[in-house]
Amino acid sequence: MDIKIHGDIGGWWDGVSAKDVFSQLASCPKGEDINVSIHSYGGDMFEGVAIYNALKQHPSKVIVTVAGIAASSGSLIAMAGDEIRMPENAFLMIHNPWGFVQGESKDFADAADLFAQFEASMATVYAKKSGKTVEEIRQIQDATTWLDGPQAVEMGFADTVIDAVQIAAFAHMPKSIAEGCPAKFVKPEAEPVPAPEPEPEPALDPEPEPEPALDPEPEPEPDPVPEPEPKPEPAPEPEPEPAATAFDPAENAAEIVELCQLAGRPSNAAAWIREGKTADEVRGILAKLQLDGQAPVAPLNTAPQGLTEELQEAAKTNLTVRSYLAKGEIDKAIKHLTKEN
């Protein structure tokens, strides 16, 4: 099975979402290798961690190829490969997650603690793949480190160097990442402009027409015939009711896995799918567990126990708004903030 993660990570800006990957993995034949191609400058950290977990927990062998750039959460997803291949001119970029915070001083202090949890969680993933210590990885994150294929293999973040490739340019790329990126992009060739069609030669002047004969005496005009009254337009037929959307078991299973990942209860997903529960039923179960205080719901198991659900949701919103603003999509950012508030 082939999975392409090219472009943004996250479904809010028409990129590759965790739900997209879950659906593809659900249809993977048993025992078939999964070939994942990554060419992404990153995106939403929560979506990236969910995709990493889904690939890492799948029983098939996962072969990751960095097709150009795997930056930010793109490099995190790459660490899910049982085998990681990189062309000699491809790049990994490892840094700390970042976003926007608004509020009073306590909100900023709480957000700093939350981001520190995210950084530690990501450092653990990189350390597990490379064999380095978490402290060494934190230094690499703080420095915003770019590694080409041979450097990534030498430092343990990749397994094999393959032949160089032409790296396709992105339609848009955040300025903060583009300024430090050492990759040489190839812009797509412009389509040739067709040559204009030649104008037709002007026709020769026609022979002069003979002078018309004198007009006869005009005949009296007949009385005008009254126009018939317009017929009333028939009433429009009522539009048929839209057909109900068919239930998709694969999409339902993918959504249940996504809900359990975000709620910090991935181990419950398989049982609820076997029991035939719908995504709406699982959403209600998780909400009740949260209200009863039985499930410490936190994004990706990285939020500290003392933080409120409102702060965690605010952090997710701020990360999403940060992605919009980084690409100059101010209208989408304002719309998202208005919806959340």
Side-chain angles (χ1 to χ4, degrees):
M1 165 175 279
D2 295 332
I3 296 178
K4 284 188 176 181
I5 303 177
H6 290 187
D8 301 320
I9 294 173
W12 286 285
W13 45 84
D14 198 26
V16 180
S17 69
K19 186 177 181 180
D20 297 333
V21 177
F22 293 161
S23 297
Q24 294 179 75
L25 291 177
S27 62
C28 178
K30 184 177 181 181
E32 181 175 320
D33 290 350
I34 300 173
N35 298 294
V36 182
S37 175
I38 300 177
H39 182 43
S40 172
Y41 57 76
D44 188 281
M45 188 202 73
F46 296 99
E47 292 280 306
V49 174
I51 295 173
Y52 166 84
N53 287 334
L55 291 172
K56 198 66 178 175
Q57 295 169 7
H58 200 278
S60 296
K61 180 180 180 180
V62 177
I63 302 171
V64 171
T65 301
V66 179
I69 289 178
S72 190
S73 56
S75 67
L76 185 75
I77 294 173
M79 297 300 103
D82 298 305
E83 180 182 351
I84 302 174
R85 302 170 179 174
M86 286 186 63
E88 59 187 28
N89 64 331
F91 287 90
L92 280 176
M93 190 273 273
I94 300 173
H95 70 162
N96 290 318
W98 56 273
F100 296 94
V101 180
Q102 62 182 10
E104 58 187 49
S105 60
K106 181 179 182 301
D107 297 322
F108 281 83
D110 290 344
D113 292 338
L114 184 61
F115 273 76
Q117 291 286 333
F118 295 158
E119 293 166 5
S121 178
M122 294 178 69
T124 302
V125 172
Y126 293 118
K128 184 176 181 180
K129 172 59 184 176
S130 65
K132 297 182 179 298
T133 66
V134 171
E135 290 74 18
E136 290 174 320
I137 296 297
R138 294 302 295 271
Q139 293 178 5
I140 293 173
Q141 289 175 303
D142 291 340
T144 304
T145 304
W146 289 88
L147 302 172
D148 61 18
Q151 290 171 331
V153 171
E154 181 181 356
M155 297 183 69
F157 296 108
D159 302 301
T160 307
V161 176
I162 59 179
D163 292 338
V165 296
Q166 289 188 335
I167 302 177
F170 293 103
H172 51 80
M173 189 173 184
K175 184 177 180 181
S176 59
I177 295 180
E179 288 178 345
C181 179
K184 295 182 179 179
F185 297 102
V186 176
K187 294 184 178 180
E189 296 183 359
E191 296 184 1
V193 179
E197 296 183 0
E199 297 183 359
E201 297 182 0
L204 298 175
D205 293 336
E207 294 290 332
E209 297 182 0
E211 294 184 2
L214 296 176
D215 294 336
E217 291 292 330
E219 296 181 0
E221 295 182 0
D223 294 335
V225 179
E227 295 183 359
E229 295 183 0
K231 296 181 180 181
E233 296 184 0
E237 296 183 1
E239 296 183 359
E241 294 289 334
T245 305
F247 178 78
D248 188 343
E251 184 175 354
N252 183 68
E255 189 171 357
I256 289 175
V257 173
E258 183 180 12
L259 289 169
C260 291
Q261 289 281 359
L262 294 175
R265 301 180 68 90
S267 59
N268 292 94
W272 285 337
I273 292 172
R274 286 196 297 268
E275 293 172 9
K277 295 191 180 297
T278 66
D280 287 336
E281 291 173 338
V282 170
R283 189 179 290 106
I285 294 171
L286 292 172
K288 185 177 185 304
L289 290 175
Q290 181 181 358
L291 291 174
D292 292 342
Q294 298 175 8
V297 178
L300 315 174
N301 293 332
T302 60
Q305 290 287 348
L307 299 178
T308 64
E309 180 182 356
E310 290 77 6
L311 178 58
Q312 296 170 30
E313 290 298 324
K316 292 177 68 176
T317 298
N318 287 328
L319 286 172
T320 301
V321 171
R322 172 263 300 168
S323 299
Y324 285 140
L325 294 177
K327 296 181 292 184
E329 298 177 351
I330 298 175
D331 291 341
K332 287 187 178 181
I334 294 175
K335 183 178 179 181
H336 192 83
L337 282 173
T338 304
K339 180 181 70 173
E340 292 295 328
N341 293 328

